[in-house]
Amino acid sequence: GTGSGSSGKKTKDGLKEVDVVLDWYPNAVHSFLYWAQEKGYFRKEGLKVKIISPAESVDAINFVASGKAQVGISYPIDTINAVVNKHMPVKAIGAVTQKQMVVMISLQSNSITKDFKTLKGKKIGYDGTNDSKVQIQAAASYAGLKPEDYELVDVGFDLTTALTSKKVDIVGGPMINDEVITLRNKGYKINVFPYTDYGVPECYGLVLDVNSEAYEKDPEMYKGFLRACRKGFRDMKSDENGTLDLIMKRMSSDSNPLNRKQQKGSYETLLPYMETKDGNFLTMNDATWNAFIKWMKQQGVTKELCKPSDVMIKPDFR
Amino acid sequence: MPAAFLLLAVLVIWQIAADIIRIPHILPGPSAIIAKTWALRRTLFLVQLPYTFFSVLAGWGLAILFAVLLAVLMSRSSLLEDMIYPVLLVIQTVPVMCIAPLFVLWFGYTASGRILVIVLSTFFGIALNTFDGFREVDRGRMELMESFGAGRLQIFLRLEVPSALPRFLTGLKMTLPWAVVDSAVAEWLGATRGLGYFSKRMVTHMDGPGVFAPILVLCLVTIAGMAVIDLLDRRIAGHRSAL
Amino acid sequence: MLTFDHVSFQYETDREAMFRDLSFRVEEGEFVSIIGASGSGKTTIFRLINHFLIPDGGRILVRDRDVAEGAVSVGYMPQQDMLFPWRTAARNVMLPMQVHGVPKDRQKKEASALLERVGLGGMDDRKPAELSGGMRQRVAFARTLATGSDLLLLDEPFSALDSITRISMQEWLREQWRTLGKTIVFITHDVEEALFLSGRILVLRGRPATHMDSVTVPAGPDRTREMLLTPEVTDLKNRLIRELREEAGR
Amino acid sequence: MLTFDHVSFQYETDREAMFRDLSFRVEEGEFVSIIGASGSGKTTIFRLINHFLIPDGGRILVRDRDVAEGAVSVGYMPQQDMLFPWRTAARNVMLPMQVHGVPKDRQKKEASALLERVGLGGMDDRKPAELSGGMRQRVAFARTLATGSDLLLLDEPFSALDSITRISMQEWLREQWRTLGKTIVFITHDVEEALFLSGRILVLRGRPATHMDSVTVPAGPDRTREMLLTPEVTDLKNRLIRELREEAGR
Amino acid sequence: MRGKTVRKLSAWLFGAALIALWEIAAVSVDRVYLLPGPADVIRSLLLNRKEIFLVHLPATMEVVAVGGALSILVGALFAVMMDLFGPVRKALYPLLTLSQAIPVMCLAPVFVLWFGYTTAMRVVVVILTNFFPVTINLYDGLRSARPERMELMKTWGATKGQIFRLLRFPSSLPYLFTALRIAVPWSVIAAAVAEWLGAPAGLGFYSRYCMMDMDAPGLLAPLLVLTVIALLLNGILKVLERRIVSWRGQ
Ligand SMILES: Nc1ncnc2c1ncn2[C@@H]1O[C@H](COP(=O)(O)OP(=O)(O)OP(=O)(O)O)[C@@H](O)[C@H]1O
Ligand SMILES: Nc1ncnc2c1ncn2[C@@H]1O[C@H](COP(=O)(O)OP(=O)(O)OP(=O)(O)O)[C@@H](O)[C@H]1O
Ligand SMILES: [Mg+2]
Ligand SMILES: [Mg+2]
């Protein structure tokens, strides 16, 4: 009775309902969805899309797996974990960003150098999740540090507090398009260290996850969804001011007040991440997934290997 | 009077501490918080407060109903007590925060999930106090009622309820702030509005005064609620010390 | 009306049995007093009748029904007033009427009348905490009468009253008994009171008590205080006091 | 020892004043009884002495010190026993000694002795709930004596006792008074008790009460029960009862 | 005796039935991440037993024990201060209430600032969430002491401290035990929540870890351990309570 395979109800006017659970509060990275909604691209595909912001980032996968939502925005590492370790019926169908957005940051005053040699004896804050821990350890060992050279400190979910209250010297887990910009806007001088600079394989930052059983039943619906998203992204890319207006009009509200300056920074940071010269928006390739799957197994996050097709679908939605 | 004085003292110390530490997104001073509350007054009081207030009323109201029901059941027979009490204790030991993801899976981001969070965090205190109130009904008065040939319902309404009332009110006093605070927690677990949600949202903006402004409103709600309960306490539980 | 049939009882935490094979009867319409030393078990008898305590052996019948079968409705006045502190005097008196479903307005009127009768007119709205010891006892007495029961069990109802109020209460109680034909069992430690009020006196003695002496008061139903001064009654009084004293000496 | 100097008092929720300009004195070493109808204000006098209530006017002196100046230590026995339900009989009696810092072993011994004396030998470890009404009253009485105070304020201390136990308590109390030279103020509603025990009887009458009749009992310090039968005492008794009756009639 | 065995047995059966129901529901839903059954949870517990019992359990127990004990002390201290000193009550009461109206999560950064990610920080969180039930209950319990008993103690010249120790505190014990029975599960919860704010180890930490890992049975396994601990602590309390406040309802 949990409706795990459900592919959405139909509304009165014959549209299919699609609930999209975000990874985080609505912000610039989600503009393509709002453009698609604003311009009626979803409607043209016969879809009625509802955007839901989550309480916890894991909600997206959980909702999709249990059929409570049709699409969820999540991370590849979580998607692979869900499929391989938890046997949850989810798969990625498109990449929102072509590059990882999670980084490590330190205050410049801590003078942690790019080569990480200065990390010795320092405290590294992380959010207590396995994902972060693994990425930090991988990055550190890439820089030639042994686990006993530094101290990992679980700082709960509040990474910025840990950093700014100087209880740790560096934190792993902030997003390039969010905390980084917020801290800079607050006047903090910070250094940013992308994991990918330290041996963590490049992968997609955010992906669109769907319920794989539901996908089998109605692939056309999801393809339509992706088509609309792509159109939305085109608008987002071509019209910075329009996008910022849209953000301030549609995403910002009494309950989710957004700051135009902040979002502008976020937007500018994001565009090169969402589409690169190697990959268009939403596209994914086996090699990238394969490399990441292997890396995860190597780090002991997953117990076994899997094929890229176990964790993702490449719908042909032209 | 002493209350106002102490409050003032605390505020002053706090302000000084905030000025010294100068990390406003972690420890904003009271002046900044008050200014922020004023600046945000429209959204805080007209948009967020009604939303939160509804969950508090609904959640706490249900908790009271449920708690009294359980207390009554448990006080009727020791078999029921032995059956129900451990279950309550188990429920009570599970931190809502921990099983929130499961909650969210079961209920989604609906009001029922949030209300359940409040119920879970407050019913136990009320139930236990009320139950102990029932257990402490004076034996002599009980015998007297029985000698009148009073039925169980009569004894319940005319003796047990008034006898347990002071304890029940103690339970209310104890859980009121929790009902308020857990409405905020509940909103973190899934809501797109409300004072708690708003506060959490401001954390990501590193906007310290913005984090505490809704909390200030929560505090005001609590104080108002406390005043009402204290009034009730004086009115209907004055016989606490005559039992 | 009331029968103790070979009743044995012992408090769980007590070393000695309280009653062993104790039997006595109170007929319908009788006014019986129970006297006995402090701690001899008078109150215990009442608590057994009300089935608050369960005898170890024997049967207790009220109106020919075993009290174990279910609640018997009696007018019981406990030794401690047991007023409900959250109710006013009048509402305390109304309590048994409420239990019996008497209409509200009649409750009020009757409660007022009863309070008036026990000398507490106009005190309807006082809380027990605002009454003197004797006043509280009178409220409790009024409450007992408000049960309207035909069997009254009164445990030292007048012990906190000054002699004048007490005499007036006694006379009124006898009046009630005569006109309404109630059965009254009356615990007292005052031999004179027992002599004036009751047709028969039961003397509770011994530990464990195995029987109660039953003494008929040599005076008719119409009584005056002066009758207490007749030689027969004086003799009886002295005899009872002597008996009790012997008991105390043991 | 005790002086009421033009004391006025009214309960806040009461319509009428209780006392107006009431004055009386009790000398050191006296044994004074206060009699009066139920609700006439006897207990109120004690509560005023203890400064639980604050007079609207006038002064109350104990040992020549105004009671308003600070707690006076007296041996007060309230009308309701007010035993502590979580303490055994013996530990209830030990309470005032504990307050006064008497060494533990002496506390125990004295409490036992006192309980023995009030006829509760061997009941040391009983909780109040396991005692009869009269027994509880005797524990409270023993507790009052355990204060060792030279001023005892006793509020109907024997009202729940049967006549035999009561007589024995009365005799013992007089004995204590005579040998230890205590000052005793004794509330009772029993005129005979007042006559037997006290050197002087204060009669509380009227509302508001403006003065108390003081009646000296025509009998010496060595007393026997028979003295109560002398014509003077009988006359006095009848006079007091008549006075109280008039009061009640008003 | 037999009745008690039957009672215990049926209570256990009831518990077993609930668990069985849960298992049935879990099996029929058949999605571990949606509704893990007891079997899944226990399996997960056994699988990670080393980690849970040797690393996380001791870490949490330290916080529960220290935080729990301190919160009771702090809570009691507040209640006592409020009871003894009127102005303190007026000043403290609203502040304490407010301290409860602020979500721990909002204060967490401040705590981090002061204490860092240390055990001290977690202990403070436990104290903050847990002292309140103790304060409110104990304070109301202290107020439930009968004023008449208090007056009595004053007549013995008892100091405030003695009145508190000998009367008010014992009177409040039933309330205190209620508070303790509430505080037991709450200190366990608070410890878990505190670990959410950042901790190197502990059952709450482990549970959150599993949550972010979408491991539902793993999320519940440590909670199961916490529950068993709470049940054990509660059992101890129950025994204590039965011994200490046996006078409930008398
Ligand atoms: N709950 C109890 N548990 C154990 N013993 C009890 C209990 N209640 C009373 N007793 C004992 O039973 C005896 C009789 O008590 P009861 O109250 O019947 O006396 P009583 O005749 O009414 O005395 P009094 O005139 O003093 O009221 C006493 O010795 C008392 O100690
Ligand atoms: N707390 C109070 N508030 C208002 N009135 C009170 C209060 N306590 C007593 N009274 C009134 O004061 C009067 C005297 O009470 P008090 O207790 O002194 O009487 P008493 O002489 O001791 O009577 P008794 O012999 O019945 O014990 C009574 O009329 C009573 O109603
Ligand atoms: Mg008795
Ligand atoms: Mg009195």
Side-chain angles (χ1 to χ4, degrees), chain C residues 126 130 132-135, chain D residues 11 13 38-44 79 156:
Chain C
R126 295 263 187 125
E130 297 167 343
S132 79
M135 287 166 150
Chain D
Y11 278 107
T13 54
S38 169
S40 59
K42 305 181 294 292
T43 301
T44 306
Q79 198 167 0
E156 306 197 11

Side-chain angles (χ1 to χ4, degrees), chain C residues 82-98:
Chain C
M82 290 298 156
L83 296 180
F84 289 18
W86 56 87
R87 285 176 166 246
T88 60
R91 294 192 11 91
N92 262 293
V93 177
M94 282 157 65
L95 191 62
M97 298 189 258
Q98 265 176 323

Side-chain angles (χ1 to χ4, degrees), chain A residues 205-232:
Chain A
L206 294 171
V207 290
L208 297 171
D209 278 346
V210 301
N211 189 307
S212 48
E213 293 161 16
Y215 183 86
E216 296 308 324
K217 278 189 206 142
D218 188 4
E220 286 315 312
M221 181 186 92
Y222 292 97
K223 288 179 183 168
F225 178 80
L226 290 173
R227 265 194 301 276
C229 287
R230 193 175 49 198
K231 283 190 209 156

Side-chain angles (χ1 to χ4, degrees), chain D residues 119-138:
Chain D
L120 297 174
M123 305 254 175
D124 293 33
D125 293 334
R126 294 264 188 126
K127 290 275 173 77
E130 297 167 344
L131 297 173
S132 78
M135 287 165 151
R136 278 208 287 275
Q137 198 171 42
R138 283 178 278 165

